[in-house]
Amino acid sequence: MCGITAFTGQTSALPFLLQGLEKLEYRGYDSAGVTLVDSQGLNTYKVKGRLSDLKEELKHQEHHQSTGIGHTRWATHGIPSQLNSHPHTNRSNTISIVHNGIIENHQAIRNYLKEVGYPFVSQTDSECIVHLIDYYYEGDLLEATRHALKYLQGSFALCVVSLDHPDQIIVAKKESPMILGQNDQASFCASDIPAILEYTKDVIVLGDDQLAVLKPGSIEIMDFDGTLVELNKQHVPYDIAAAQKGGYDTFMEKEIHEQPYVIHETLRMYMDHTQIKIDELDKMDWHFEDFNRVYFIGCGTAYHACLYAQYLFDKWLNIPSFCMPASEFRYGDPKLDKKSLCILVSQSGETADTLAALKMAKEKGSKSIAITNVLGSTISRLADVTLYTCAGPEIAVASTKAYTTQLVLLCVLMIQLAQKMNCSILDVDSLLQDLQNMDMHVEKILSQKELIKDFSSLLKNKKDAYFIGRQLDYVSVLEGALKLKEISYIHADAYYAGELKHGPIALIEKGSVVIALAMQENVAEKTLSNIEETMARGAHVILITSMQKVSSDYDHVFKIDNIHPYLSLIPVTIVLQLIAYYAALQNECDVDKPRNLAKSVTVE
């Protein structure tokens, strides 16, 4: 989710680079840098911190160079620091690169290059790219880049400049966005449209496995084999503010639609096809079979992710497990010792209650695993092991993509723990295959958003809503009710479907809205019976189910493809996010900044 800008033309490159990075600040970042190129050398400036800090660094001298690359970094490999900031240069300071994405085999490349004498100064996966290009460089920057690309596994948007080619930028793209543009005097590119709209509204979207050669006023595109590709310009009809949201009306809508990509990227970090590879756990000298209890700890949406993880853990392992809100954990006198394992989930890594729970666990000698989205956050520094989601910055206050990436990562982690504790999992191959295809399942849900929007009209001007489900569906309805409360201000409660008749059904009356889940085959029929009880009292029901045959008595049915039942809550979550989103719009609420809420809760 880093920001990239690049420019080559007949005027100074720096103004374009900086204004572009400013337009991309909404993506979030922890450091910033530029490389400016001319025939005299490469001049690289980079800082840990904000773009304003970089500007302060640059203001003390003139910068006439007409070619340059810029970057704002969202850390994935290596803590936020000046050395880990981009751009990265080769040892002779003649080649410089900026990179967005993840190089899965960076360690193998790094090990080989070290053996042949290349020095590394950063912890990043990106630095291996510039040294690999240098390794193959024999005077032709394009050919050296093409050769290096053959060995890169993972995702990348890449810009390369060199001292020997001061008016040329090589751009490459695979599964990470890159936008190109040009005018009479210059060619330029960026990782998102807002960065170039001030210079042109006619853009070229670089395709996967494509290269581009940018020169002043000209762009040439080819595939990785060198076959030329026709330029296909698209006119952008919206302004910069809209472009920051990718053309969506709100950041929340944009982030909901980013979920296929970020789920894919998170799984890429910890899975190789259907093989799990959590190196961070392998490095720990832990006797996993000695753990006598496991605690799952989080707040709000992260607590719901913990409930999911505990559900899987209880299905697969025989060790006692407990799931507790972090705000209650340290006051409940939990039994903690050296044989306890605490798994803590926090999107920001700065949640005060969760940090307090972690500190308490450490004082008792317990082992800890943290799940977070922010590299270098406090929780990542305190936990014994930290695993990162690849959600990228989440601007909207209500969590969407951060939550679903937590779910997929926790699923992978639970499978890995089961394996390390010598517990077998039935149908694990089927589960892992469905997990690998989760991005496609989510894409299918998003393609039906108009139907979900229609269903959500039932909530217009409503004061209450009721969510029901059984077993794992109950975790889903807890999150669905929370999302609806957060952004639409509709009072929403979540119940075990079987508990309706034990009190809550007294609230159901004509016109009540019930959102029901029947995704768990072994209890689906039971849930349908509970739904009938609400319909008999005049409720309007939205049924979300994977059952192929459903009675025509239900007016609002959303069907989800059959996938492994332990993964069903992930596509269901997307449906519930969209219901909440459209309900909030209908009630004219600010979905990105709901009242009274903050993105990161750093007080108890």
Side-chain angles (χ1 to χ4, degrees):
M1 306 301 289
C2 308
I4 287 176
T5 54
F7 178 98
T8 181
Q10 299 175 21
T11 58
S12 174
L14 189 60
F16 175 88
L17 302 180
L18 294 179
Q19 68 80 34
L21 294 178
E22 285 179 354
K23 302 298 193 311
L24 300 176
E25 283 189 297
Y26 71 92
R27 298 164 70 92
Y29 64 100
D30 50 60
S31 57
V34 296
T35 291
L36 301 172
V37 188
D38 60 24
S39 58
Q40 304 304 307
L42 304 186
N43 297 282
T44 298
Y45 308 85
K46 52 187 186 176
V47 298
K48 174 189 173 184
R50 311 306 295 172
L51 198 57
S52 58
D53 300 320
L54 177 63
K55 290 180 179 178
E56 185 68 24
E57 178 83 10
L58 289 164
K59 76 176 186 179
H60 301 295
Q61 52 187 294
E62 292 291 327
H63 301 284
H64 61 276
Q65 296 92 336
S66 58
T67 297
I69 52 178
H71 193 271
T72 47
R73 178 178 185 251
W74 174 265
T76 57
H77 293 72
I79 63 172
S81 70
Q82 196 271 345
L83 286 177
N84 288 331
S85 305
H86 293 223
H88 291 289
T89 57
N90 63 340
R91 55 187 169 182
S92 58
N93 195 36
T94 56
I95 301 174
S96 184
I97 66 104
V98 289
H99 165 235
N100 186 11
I102 295 171
I103 305 303
E104 296 173 358
N105 61 332
H106 71 95
Q107 193 62 56
I109 296 173
R110 177 186 289 255
N111 291 342
Y112 175 75
L113 290 172
K114 279 185 173 181
E115 287 178 7
V116 296
Y118 280 85
F120 281 76
V121 298
S122 80
Q123 301 166 301
T124 68
D125 57 334
S126 305
E127 190 182 358
C128 73
I129 302 173
V130 71
H131 294 315
L132 193 61
I133 293 172
D134 177 85
Y135 179 78
Y136 288 113
Y137 183 68
E138 296 180 350
D140 190 325
L141 186 63
L142 174 61
E143 283 305 305
T145 303
R146 283 182 55 204
H147 209 139
L149 293 178
K150 295 177 183 178
Y151 296 93
L152 300 183
Q153 298 173 12
S155 62
F156 49 83
L158 179 67
C159 293
V160 188
V161 292
S162 79
L163 174 63
D164 296 341
H165 306 81
D167 63 346
Q168 183 182 99
I169 301 169
I170 307 298
V171 183
K173 189 254 189 199
K174 179 185 179 185
E175 297 180 11
S176 194
M178 183 61 76
I179 310 298
L180 314 178
Q182 64 184 131
N183 56 32
D184 292 339
Q185 295 184 324
S187 297
F188 33 83
C189 68
S191 51
D192 208 350
I193 290 173
I196 70 174
L197 279 186
E198 209 172 285
Y199 286 71
T200 183
K201 287 197 171 185
D202 295 316
V203 305
I204 302 164
V205 179
L206 194 64
D208 276 343
D209 301 322
Q210 288 186 347
L211 283 156
V213 180
L214 275 55
K215 295 182 179 180
S218 74
I219 296 175
E220 189 176 64
I221 299 177
M222 64 195 71
D223 62 25
F224 283 1
D225 293 326
T227 304
L228 291 177
V229 175
E230 184 178 353
L231 300 186
N232 182 18
K233 293 185 179 180
Q234 304 174 28
H235 185 73
V236 179
Y238 42 80
D239 61 17
I240 290 172
Q244 288 180 319
K245 299 170 184 174
Y248 295 103
D249 292 331
T250 65
F251 281 111
M252 184 174 180
E253 184 184 18
K254 176 177 181 284
E255 288 157 8
I256 288 172
H257 282 79
E258 286 175 344
Q259 287 177 111
Y261 174 74
V262 297
I263 286 171
H264 179 79
E265 288 299 289
T266 299
L267 291 173
R268 184 201 295 276
M269 285 278 286
Y270 300 104
M271 289 184 68
D272 183 5
H273 299 292
T274 56
Q275 297 297 313
I276 294 172
K277 51 180 183 69
I278 304 182
D279 296 336
E280 293 84 349
L281 283 184
D282 294 337
K283 294 174 183 175
M284 303 305 294
D285 185 23
W286 290 356
H287 299 287
F288 290 87
E289 64 277 5
D290 290 343
F291 287 126
N292 58 17
R293 61 179 64 87
V294 176
Y295 292 93
F296 297 90
I297 305 162
C299 295
T301 287
Y303 170 66
H304 297 157
C306 288
L307 285 172
Y308 170 60
Q310 187 203 22
Y311 182 93
L312 298 181
F313 190 90
D314 285 350
K315 291 292 183 183
W316 295 333
L317 294 104
N318 296 319
I319 301 170
S321 69
F322 310 87
C323 186
M324 299 180 69
S327 56
E328 291 294 312
F329 180 78
R330 59 182 167 142
Y331 301 114
D333 193 23
K335 293 179 173 59
L336 293 168
D337 56 32
K338 294 181 180 179
K339 292 186 177 181
S340 303
L341 172 63
C342 293
I343 298 173
L344 307 102
V345 183
S346 168
Q347 180 271 330
S348 67
E350 305 294 345
T351 310
D353 290 316
T354 309
L355 288 173
L358 173 56
K359 291 174 183 176
M360 178 181 176
K362 289 178 70 68
E363 289 171 1
K364 300 286 188 178
S366 302
K367 302 295 189 293
S368 57
I369 300 174
I371 306 287
T372 186
N373 193 42
V374 181
L375 196 146
S377 57
T378 303
I379 201 169
S380 72
R381 298 196 300 271
L382 295 179
D384 296 319
V385 173
T386 302
L387 306 179
Y388 294 99
T389 56
C390 294
E394 200 173 53
I395 307 301
V397 169
S399 182
T400 53
K401 61 178 182 170
Y403 176 62
T404 49
T405 53
Q406 287 168 359
L407 295 179
V408 297
L409 179 48
L410 282 165
C411 180
V412 169
L413 175 59
M414 293 308 101
I415 296 171
Q416 181 80 107
L417 288 178
Q419 293 170 343
K420 286 186 175 295
M421 295 178 185
N422 300 315
C423 296
S424 60
I425 299 174
L426 294 176
D427 299 326
V428 67
D429 291 339
S430 170
L431 189 153
L432 289 172
Q433 187 62 54
D434 282 350
L435 191 59
Q436 279 289 92
N437 294 329
M438 187 54 65
D439 56 340
M440 293 183 284
H441 291 295
V442 174
E443 285 279 14
K444 186 170 183 179
I445 300 296
L446 294 172
S447 71
Q448 301 173 78
K449 64 181 181 181
E450 290 301 319
L451 177 60
I452 300 171
K453 181 178 181 180
D454 180 57
F455 288 179
S456 70
S457 63
L458 290 176
L459 292 162
K460 188 173 184 179
N461 299 323
K462 293 291 183 181
K463 295 185 180 297
D464 303 283
Y466 305 93
F467 291 73
I468 63 173
R470 289 173 179 258
Q471 297 295 304
L472 194 52
D473 286 345
Y474 179 65
V475 177
S476 296
V477 297
L478 282 172
E479 176 62 15
L482 177 61
K483 278 294 157 287
L484 189 64
K485 284 182 280 197
E486 283 181 314
I487 63 173
S488 74
Y489 316 141
I490 296 171
H491 171 255
D493 281 330
Y495 300 105
Y496 286 109
E499 290 296 299
L500 273 179
K501 63 176 67 70
H502 298 288
I505 201 166
L507 299 170
I508 304 298
E509 59 187 5
K510 186 177 181 180
S512 295
V513 178
V514 175
I515 299 168
L517 302 189
M519 295 294 297
Q520 304 301 306
E521 185 177 359
N522 62 323
V523 292
E525 291 292 344
K526 298 288 186 182
T527 301
L528 294 183
S529 296
N530 302 133
I531 295 170
E532 294 288 347
E533 295 166 358
T534 68
M535 292 172 62
R537 289 155 178 81
H540 299 303
V541 175
I542 299 172
L543 172 61
I544 303 167
T545 183
S546 57
M547 300 176 69
Q548 297 306 303
K549 294 182 180 180
V550 180
S551 169
S552 59
D553 293 340
Y554 303 106
D555 293 329
H556 302 87
V557 179
F558 189 92
K559 290 189 177 181
I560 293 177
D561 288 346
N562 269 319
I563 61 172
H564 197 287
Y566 293 170
L567 299 176
S568 64
L569 87 167
I570 300 172
V572 165
T573 293
I574 312 300
V575 178
L576 296 177
Q577 289 171 356
L578 288 168
I579 288 175
Y581 177 78
Y582 288 122
L585 291 184
Q586 289 161 3
N587 290 328
E588 299 181 351
C589 300
D590 185 343
V591 295
D592 285 340
K593 298 178 181 178
R595 67 191 183 200
N596 304 331
L597 298 180
K599 189 65 186 170
S600 179
V601 183
T602 56
V603 295
E604 183 179 0

